[in-house]
Amino acid sequence: MADTVKLTIDGKEVRARADMNLIDAAETAGIHIPNLCYLKGLKGSGACRLCLVEIEGLKSPMTACTTRVKEGMFVNTRTEKVQEIRKYVIDLILSMHPLDCMTCTKAGVCELQKYAYDFGIKESTFTRKKFGFPVDNKNPFINRDPDYCILCGRCVRVCKEQGTAVLDFHGRGVGSRVVTAEDKPLQEGGCTFCGSCVDACPVNALLEADRWRKGREWEYERYNSVCLSCGNACDTVVSVHDKDVAKVNAGADDGRARHYICAYGRFGFDFINADTRVMSPLKRIDGELKPISWDEEANQLG
Amino acid sequence: MEKKKVVKVEEIKKAAEEKRCPVQKAAYYIEEFLKGPMCGRCFPCAFGSYEAGVRLRNIIEGSGKEEDIFALRRITEDMIVASLCKRGKDSAEFVHEWMETDAFKEHVEGRCPDIDCPAFIEYIIIPEKCTMCGLCKEVCKYNAVLGEKKVKYKTGYLPFEVRQKRCVKCGDCIDVCPTGAIIVTESRKKEGVKV
């Protein structure tokens, strides 16, 4: 167990492990620091600047995702200065976003939507920017729509971290996007379709391919489950809509495995409704398998 | 592979200082900044400077509004606080410094006090100085100079004129005029040129 330090966040005294960053430490105290590019378990990159907090004794605001906790630190997460920066960044991102919340599949869990709501930004005050990038939907698992992308880089980092490194940025600033090598579709770019990027994406840029109009996020019932496709038995969260499995997400509590389950676990749930699935006992009558009831089967065996 | 030479922020600043109009300076700087040293690692600078570029272009082209100045001020102020590195902060400061002058406001009202922005200036020929030699007419690629070349011992000529609709403000005619009859003035239209 690492040492713990005592610090004050928004007037609340917080005890945190010494190797924690400010976002995680605040989270333990129930204080949410807004962020778009930070992903728990990965190193912070400090790109979105949404997690800027003011630390007493320091002149300029610091990013909470890259700052470690320190004994006696005095942190303010809601000062006027940093709230203005947050509004400004969300405003800028919204000026390049399709604003398609009516039919967007991620509505409800979209972090951009959440922050726009939190800060009360109805529409961007900046110039509208449209790109019309091609959508990559040539594979049965993952849809990539760069128009929705907010360039947070979570997918890029999560992909690199687990060793696949299929995705990377192309270009910089406005008009850049996340691509595979030589901008090939995913299936030709060496992707293993583990879908970690889908979990990491805060918006609708990366999405399970078959979820268009299959229920909204808030209609799902979520169940903690375990994937039994292999012996690893990864923890999963199964979202069910109308008694049909809508999606499977990685569901481990902590650590890097939190974001990782493989393609079998994430996308291999079609067999539940497959025609070839054996749902009742079968009996061979005249050389042909016929379904029989469970009672009949029990009698026969007994 | 040939490695591209990275232009330094200071060099761009120096080049930008050579422009006369503060808005031109800021616009040139942001344009070059986006082309070269902007790394795109943090949102406020990467998206903000692009937006600032759009707004500055609006102002230069004469379609600027009061809200453009307001947006620019907000962008630069927030960039100074929130940018990841010194480069972004310096860039915002450079634009912010020039925003202290009245030039931005004058542009929105339809004037360029330094007579530099093409949307707010006009080329005119002073009739008294014009000798009707026809050099400007020959050099003009856009056929914007109106008039008849003078033939000796004939009378009844009218001095040359610049057709404002065709003129692109390239400045070629000024270079060739032997008597210095062509000058640049503030545009007579008070409202900006419509785009």
Side-chain angles (χ1 to χ4, degrees):
Chain A
M1 187 74 187
D3 298 338
T4 58
V5 292
K6 223 194 233 172
L7 69 158
T8 318
I9 303 174
D10 284 353
K12 223 180 189 180
E13 226 166 70
V14 181
R15 277 203 158 276
R17 273 206 334 264
D19 59 346
M20 267 184 169
N21 61 36
L22 278 174
I23 288 187
D24 289 345
E27 209 76 36
T28 59
I31 299 163
H32 178 72
I33 299 175
N35 64 79
L36 281 171
C37 66
Y38 176 66
L39 197 55
K40 205 176 172 186
L42 294 185
K43 212 171 138 249
S45 72
C48 71
R49 317 303 281 176
L50 232 56
C51 65
L52 285 176
V53 291
E54 292 208 84
I55 298 166
E56 236 152 76
L58 292 174
K59 208 176 90 195
S60 58
M62 300 286 286
T63 46
C65 62
T66 53
T67 311
R68 285 248 180 111
V69 290
K70 246 187 221 155
E71 184 69 42
M73 219 178 211
F74 207 88
V75 186
N76 269 322
T77 68
R78 294 273 185 280
T79 60
E80 213 169 283
K81 198 175 180 184
V82 294
Q83 290 290 69
E84 159 60 20
I85 301 291
R86 285 170 193 163
K87 276 185 202 167
Y88 160 72
V89 172
I90 295 289
D91 207 337
L92 277 174
I93 294 172
L94 284 180
S95 78
M96 328 189 285
H97 199 73
L99 305 182
D100 173 34
C101 295
M102 293 79 84
T103 54
C104 180
T105 317
K106 277 274 181 90
V109 292
C110 171
E111 281 169 47
L112 183 62
Q113 192 188 31
K114 175 176 176 282
Y115 292 132
Y117 180 84
D118 284 356
F119 294 114
I121 303 169
K122 241 183 157 120
E123 58 185 21
S124 181
T125 56
F126 294 124
T127 325
R128 196 99 199 87
K129 303 169 190 85
K130 264 192 182 165
F131 303 106
F133 293 131
V135 182
D136 176 15
N137 53 6
K138 293 290 182 305
N139 67 76
F141 304 119
I142 299 173
N143 257 3
R144 276 195 313 140
D145 194 338
D147 270 353
Y148 288 86
C149 182
I150 58 166
L151 306 171
C152 65
R154 278 186 190 179
C155 51
V156 174
R157 277 180 294 141
V158 88
C159 198
K160 271 194 185 141
E161 193 78 9
Q162 67 193 33
T164 21
V166 172
L167 299 172
D168 210 337
F169 283 115
H170 176 267
R172 60 203 154 89
V174 178
S176 65
R177 63 205 172 104
V178 174
V179 294
T180 58
E182 290 180 25
D183 203 4
K184 281 180 180 156
L186 276 177
Q187 69 272 23
E188 291 167 33
C191 180
T192 58
F193 295 105
C194 67
S196 299
C197 50
V198 179
D199 268 3
C201 185
V203 287
N204 193 30
L206 286 157
L207 191 74
E208 293 95 344
D210 52 355
R211 276 184 58 205
W212 171 242
R213 296 185 63 211
K214 292 264 175 71
R216 325 260 355 215
E217 287 278 352
W218 55 83
E219 295 168 352
Y220 293 158
E221 290 168 55
R222 286 167 216 278
Y223 298 99
N224 289 327
S225 181
V226 170
C227 170
L228 295 176
S229 296
C230 76
N232 281 339
C234 300
D235 288 316
T236 57
V237 176
V238 181
S239 301
V240 178
H241 174 250
D242 259 353
K243 293 181 180 169
D244 267 339
V245 175
K247 62 165 182 170
V248 178
N249 293 105
D253 275 339
D254 219 343
R256 220 155 270 169
R258 180 193 168 94
H259 308 296
Y260 185 79
I261 51 173
C262 66
Y264 293 99
R266 193 182 293 271
F267 301 111
F269 55 80
D270 282 358
F271 70 88
I272 295 167
N273 292 328
D275 301 337
T276 48
R277 188 175 173 192
V278 179
M279 302 288 280
S280 64
L282 298 174
K283 190 186 174 190
R284 195 177 295 277
I285 304 168
D286 301 332
E288 211 176 305
L289 287 170
K290 291 262 170 67
I292 56 171
S293 75
W294 286 99
D295 286 341
E296 210 177 317
E297 177 251 22
N299 284 337
Q300 296 240 339
L301 286 178
Chain B
M1 234 167 59
E2 201 182 326
K3 213 177 174 189
K4 237 164 102 183
K5 200 184 155 237
V6 182
V7 190
K8 280 201 183 120
V9 175
E10 285 76 30
E11 286 169 27
I12 301 175
K13 259 187 204 170
K14 214 180 268 172
E17 294 285 357
E18 282 168 15
K19 306 239 172 208
R20 269 178 297 149
C21 171
V23 187
Q24 291 276 358
K25 280 182 207 192
Y28 174 82
Y29 179 85
I30 290 291
E31 196 185 315
E32 291 298 312
F33 178 65
L34 282 170
K35 263 191 227 159
M38 204 275 295
C39 65
R41 257 184 228 129
C42 71
F43 290 8
C45 171
F47 305 158
S49 52
Y50 183 88
E51 177 68 33
V54 173
R55 300 284 177 153
L56 284 167
R57 226 171 296 136
N58 277 352
I59 294 176
I60 283 179
E61 281 164 7
S63 55
K65 292 192 189 73
E66 199 69 31
E67 64 195 48
D68 287 330
I69 297 181
F70 180 77
L72 270 173
R73 192 156 282 147
R74 184 176 175 208
I75 290 168
T76 48
E77 273 168 12
D78 288 349
M79 255 172 85
I80 290 171
V81 178
S83 289
L84 183 75
C85 64
K86 199 167 170 296
R87 237 184 288 171
K89 289 180 196 210
D90 282 355
S91 308
E93 255 163 31
F94 182 80
V95 178
H96 196 74
E97 263 171 39
W98 287 112
M99 287 197 61
E100 301 294 317
T101 57
D102 291 337
F104 283 71
K105 212 164 168 250
E106 295 221 14
H107 276 75
V108 171
E109 285 162 6
R111 285 189 304 277
C112 180
D114 295 286
I115 311 180
D116 201 11
C117 299
F120 302 109
I121 55 169
E122 261 176 25
Y123 281 57
I124 53 167
I125 299 172
I126 301 169
E128 292 82 38
K129 282 195 186 171
C130 181
T131 55
M132 288 150 260
C133 62
L135 279 174
C136 52
K137 201 178 171 183
E138 276 166 32
V139 84
C140 184
K141 296 183 199 78
Y142 304 91
N143 199 13
V145 181
L146 201 68
E148 206 177 327
K149 195 176 167 180
K150 192 173 181 178
V151 180
K152 273 177 189 172
Y153 310 117
K154 284 192 175 175
T155 54
Y157 285 100
L158 290 171
F160 283 24
E161 250 182 89
V162 177
R163 280 193 273 184
Q164 297 302 338
K165 265 192 180 167
R166 288 207 168 177
C167 179
V168 296
K169 283 116 186 174
C170 62
D172 283 353
C173 50
I174 292 187
D175 294 341
V176 294
C177 185
T179 55
I182 305 172
I183 56 160
V184 186
T185 62
E186 213 171 89
S187 176
R188 273 165 292 182
K189 282 172 276 172
K190 274 299 161 209
E191 77 276 16
V193 178
K194 293 205 173 59
V195 182

